Amino acid sequence: MKNCVIVGINWGDEGKGRMVDLLTENYDIVVRYQGGGNAGHTVINEYGKFALHLLPSGIFRKGVVNILGNGVALDLENLWKEMQTVQAQGVFLTPANLKISDRASLLLPWHRILDSLEEERLKEKKYGSTKQGIAPFYSDKYQKKTIMAGELFYPEYLEQHVRDLLEWKNLTLAGIYGAQPYTVEQMMAWLTNYGEKLKPYICDTGDFLRRAHTKEKSILFEAQLGALRDLDYGIYPYTTSSNAIAAYAPVGSGLPGVKLDEVIGVVKAYSTCVGEGPFTCEWFGPEADALREAGFEYGAKTGRPRRVGPLDLVATRYGVQIQGATDVALTKLDVLSYMEQIPVCTNYRLDGVVTDEFPFPAALPKAEPIVEYLEGWHCDISKIRTWENLPKAAQNYVRFVERRIGCPVTYVSVGPERDAYIKR
Ligand code: GDP
């Protein structure tokens, strides 16, 4: 059985959760491989409406094993709260269908505090963080200054490790930011409280995945955010602090030797972006308000209004390339139905030169969008389920997009519900 990774091609919020929820039907295992509770994957299904932050979007499917891989930022407190919310809506979570990697590093309470303190210090130069502690967490992980989930099974080792970490971390908290330092007792109480709740789910998921792979179980890897927020390939420094690209999926999941068979890149039919950073196609005023309302573009995690604009084919083509996408799922096509003509950014003008290459981040603020208009379809397409029934103008829009980005559009999503899609 082939394995597959579902990734975002743009700035995030493309509708990955919706695609994972749809496609998990065909998979045995779903793995989240990077990022943390700063995600907000919206899923609508028979259990209701959910904004999943850390839980993999396969948790609604009976028989599917969901894994939080070693690459995620594991916030025990928020994960536990999310599990309670989801279970209250009738979803069963047991160590059989939810497994947490013992090699996942822990996002600790001071990471969230440091995230807020640093955004406050930056004032108008802030990164637009969701303040979930993700940047301080990943910098600590790469400095080898946090705790692995499996250490919860070694209390004496853990306590000494916490003591060593605090000696260092309090220098930053109290010394640089003037914040309250942590005590070993406080940290151990937090770790014991949430650790005891979650220990039943923590195991050697690498071993589990290797065995599953040998038995030819099908594995779906689920990314958070999008290519343009990838730490190495995105619009640095307005990126996230982890690698959201498909190539990281094997590493962050616990199957570093596996080859990816399919990479489904999710692209929204127009552009949106939450937070700071250059956003070349951005609209303002009534035009932006109309698109934001039509697509209900408010952050699933923060409720922040998203920045909106027409589909940016320059950024999307770049996203497709760095993701190595084999297929594209084009979501929210129904949202464009209200438009007389459909705008698309086909090129950028940079220092007077027209280009279809995505610029280096430092050059991006100077880029200007060149926009073309395609014919609109002026009717509700949200009930359409076959390609043949899609209005010709909508078909033309999809074909135009796939030609320009160099990747086939295999799925067209026309509504947030599980069945509101067209498979070509
Ligand atoms: P993710 O983080 O990539 O999973 O995306 P989000 O959940 O943050 O944002 C996608 C939003 O679009 C959610 O509110 C989805 O319910 C919604 N959505 C997804 N696909 C479609 C679609 O085809 N049409 C419409 N109207 N909404 C969609």
Side-chain angles (χ1 to χ4, degrees):
M1 177 78 194
K2 284 184 175 176
N3 65 53
C4 170
V5 55
I6 296 189
V7 289
I9 294 293
N10 303 109
W11 296 265
D13 307 318
E14 298 94 345
K16 296 174 294 295
R18 176 251 186 289
M19 288 309 297
V20 178
D21 178 61
L22 170 68
L23 297 176
T24 40
E25 191 173 17
N26 309 319
Y27 289 85
D28 301 309
I29 299 167
V30 178
V31 197
R32 270 282 306 269
Y33 61 88
Q34 48 74 229
N38 51 338
H41 293 178
T42 309
V43 174
I44 301 174
N45 57 29
E46 70 269 29
Y47 295 101
K49 181 172 179 177
F50 300 84
L52 296 179
H53 302 303
L54 203 49
L55 287 169
S57 306
I59 49 159
F60 306 101
R61 298 280 191 187
K62 294 202 171 57
V64 171
V65 178
N66 293 270
I67 294 181
L68 289 172
N70 50 281
V72 303
L74 182 61
D75 180 338
L76 295 177
E77 183 175 345
N78 279 339
L79 174 61
W80 179 251
K81 288 180 184 158
E82 187 177 344
M83 287 167 68
Q84 302 313 301
T85 309
V86 166
Q87 291 187 107
Q89 284 179 259
V91 179
F92 281 107
L93 295 177
T94 71
N97 73 350
L98 177 66
K99 298 183 189 294
I100 303 170
S101 169
D102 57 357
R103 287 182 172 269
S105 296
L106 300 188
L107 186 146
L108 299 165
W110 61 60
H111 292 130
R112 268 182 259 132
I113 290 171
L114 283 168
D115 205 352
S116 295
L117 289 169
E118 180 56 10
E119 285 286 278
E120 272 166 40
R121 191 192 70 78
L122 285 166
K123 298 203 171 67
E124 70 282 356
K125 291 191 169 175
K126 66 185 190 311
Y127 292 118
S129 164
T130 55
K131 298 182 186 163
Q132 296 298 307
I134 304 298
F137 160 79
Y138 277 108
S139 39
D140 279 4
K141 173 174 169 171
Y142 286 97
Q143 285 198 78
K144 301 164 288 175
K145 297 276 197 216
T146 186
I147 293 164
M148 278 183 163
E151 290 178 44
L152 294 165
F153 295 99
Y154 302 88
E156 281 172 27
Y157 178 98
L158 177 66
E159 185 163 346
Q160 186 54 49
H161 195 179
V162 167
R163 203 173 289 283
D164 295 343
L165 286 178
L166 269 182
E167 212 180 283
W168 170 79
K169 189 47 89 181
N170 279 338
L171 294 175
T172 312
L173 272 170
I176 296 179
Y177 291 103
Q180 194 67 24
Y182 271 89
T183 63
V184 174
E185 292 69 32
Q186 273 175 323
M187 272 319 298
M188 286 307 294
W190 185 88
L191 284 164
T192 309
N193 181 21
Y194 291 104
E196 287 310 312
K197 293 176 172 45
L198 287 163
K199 262 157 74 177
Y201 300 87
I202 298 170
C203 60
D204 184 350
T205 54
D207 179 60
F208 177 85
L209 281 168
R210 286 191 296 276
R211 286 172 195 272
H213 185 54
T214 310
K215 289 187 204 145
E216 298 195 359
K217 297 279 184 198
S218 52
I219 304 171
L220 182 72
F221 303 97
E222 177 180 12
Q224 179 224 27
L225 292 168
L228 302 169
R229 297 291 191 194
D230 180 85
L231 179 60
D232 288 71
Y233 297 95
I235 52 169
Y236 189 85
Y238 300 101
T239 57
T240 194
S241 302
S242 63
N243 289 108
I245 51 165
Y248 187 73
V251 177
S253 298
L255 260 185
V258 82
K259 177 181 162 294
L260 298 174
D261 298 313
E262 259 184 298
V263 178
I264 300 182
V266 186
V267 174
K268 199 182 277 188
Y270 50 95
S271 299
T272 66
C273 161
V274 181
E276 309 299 319
F279 184 44
T280 309
C281 288
E282 185 161 12
W283 275 352
F284 299 94
E287 215 177 13
D289 294 342
L291 181 52
R292 188 176 299 112
E293 288 312 312
F296 197 69
E297 294 298 346
Y298 297 91
K301 178 75 192 178
T302 57
R304 289 186 287 188
R306 291 177 182 148
R307 299 159 75 190
V308 298
L311 180 60
D312 182 338
L313 292 172
V314 180
T316 304
R317 191 168 72 104
Y318 172 75
V320 162
Q321 287 169 350
I322 67 159
Q323 292 287 18
T326 57
D327 297 87
V328 157
L330 188 68
T331 60
K332 302 191 96 163
L333 192 65
D334 54 302
V335 172
L336 301 184
S337 301
Y338 79 93
M339 290 184 176
E340 278 303 310
Q341 290 183 306
I342 315 291
V344 273
C345 167
T346 51
N347 292 283
Y348 289 173
R349 184 172 289 109
L350 193 60
D351 297 326
V353 178
V354 175
T355 179
D356 62 357
E357 292 297 327
F358 192 67
F360 183 75
L364 206 45
K366 285 198 296 180
E368 296 162 43
I370 298 178
V371 177
E372 280 182 29
Y373 289 86
L374 305 186
E375 201 190 323
W377 43 91
H378 324 294
C379 64
D380 179 11
I381 57 169
S382 63
K383 304 284 180 297
I384 294 175
R385 298 289 177 266
T386 61
W387 176 252
E388 295 68 38
N389 288 341
L390 205 56
K392 282 282 166 291
Q395 289 185 0
N396 288 342
Y397 182 69
V398 175
R399 288 203 184 101
F400 185 85
V401 170
E402 66 184 358
R403 259 197 325 273
R404 291 299 181 107
I405 63 176
C407 186
V409 174
T410 312
Y411 297 91
V412 178
S413 174
V414 291
E417 305 81 15
R418 193 181 263 174
D419 72 335
Y421 74 99
I422 294 164
K423 173 102 199 290
R424 284 174 80 197

